[in-house]
Amino acid sequence: MAGTETHYELPLPSFDEPVKMLIVVAPYYKDIADEQIAGARAIAAEAGAEVELVEVPGALEIPSAIATAHRLSNFDAYVALGCVIRGETTHYDTVCNDSSRGLTLLGLQGCCIGNGILTVENREQAVVRAEAAGQNKGGGAAAAALHLLALQRRWGKPKGGFGFKPLGEDTLLAGDAEGPATA
């Protein structure tokens, strides 16, 4: 039974430079979200990280909020928190898969993200996983983000994302040898 297993947890990394962490939470189940936030804040404090918290309507909006913050702000690490409880329709599968996929794609582009979006069958499972004094999945997500940040700082700053690059002033158009396109 999973409840009786013990798991190894890496010691929290230490940082020479300040850490600015953004927690993005979908508080649909407010009591569960509050427990996750408490766990994430405690781990961030233990590592000396400064935390900012924003709320979004649901789990599907979490990756978009993190992508926007990563593009427009100066956060070092991100924690995604929320809870999706299986219902009577396939909406559960869509929310679980797409929120997870969005976070994974952002991680592959260099965002240091801890995924603490609970995907459970019922409320009881969510409560057990969310409790800061229990399984503390919010704290685990914060620790994951901090570990990824420690690796990023160890290996150097990201050199850019993967995929398409937006057309900008420093981009030449095909056949334009004189310089950037102007409107």
Side-chain angles (χ1 to χ4, degrees):
M1 187 154 94
T4 60
E5 293 180 17
T6 59
H7 302 97
Y8 175 73
E9 292 182 18
L10 295 172
L12 283 179
S14 59
F15 297 94
D16 295 333
E17 298 176 27
V19 173
K20 188 173 178 188
M21 176 182 281
L22 177 66
I23 298 174
V24 180
V25 62
Y28 189 80
Y29 301 102
K30 183 95 168 89
D31 59 326
I32 292 168
D34 288 345
E35 280 291 322
Q36 292 179 289
I37 293 166
R41 282 187 184 275
I43 293 296
E46 191 176 333
E50 175 188 335
V51 173
E52 188 171 323
L53 174 75
V54 295
E55 294 181 343
V56 296
L60 287 175
E61 289 75 36
I62 293 172
S64 297
I66 290 173
T68 301
H70 191 66
R71 191 173 53 253
L72 300 176
S73 194
N74 62 344
F75 292 100
D76 300 304
Y78 305 89
V79 181
L81 299 178
C83 178
V84 185
I85 300 175
R86 185 179 297 278
E88 298 175 356
T89 68
T90 58
H91 182 67
Y92 170 87
D93 298 314
T94 299
V95 174
C96 294
N97 293 334
D98 290 353
S99 62
S100 179
R101 183 178 302 111
L103 295 175
T104 298
L105 291 173
L106 289 168
L108 292 173
Q109 293 178 33
C111 290
C112 300
I113 301 175
N115 183 353
I117 301 174
L118 303 177
T119 54
V120 296
E121 298 295 320
N122 54 56
R123 175 172 259 290
E124 293 76 28
Q125 290 177 348
V127 169
V128 167
R129 285 158 179 76
E131 286 179 331
Q135 288 190 15
N136 194 17
K137 297 300 182 181
L146 292 166
H147 282 289
L148 292 172
L149 177 60
L151 289 175
Q152 188 178 83
R153 287 187 176 178
R154 175 180 170 187
W155 293 329
K157 299 289 181 195
K159 295 170 182 67
F162 296 95
F164 295 100
K165 183 177 180 182
L167 187 63
E169 291 181 17
D170 62 340
T171 305
L172 294 176
L173 295 174
D176 185 2
E178 295 180 17
T182 57

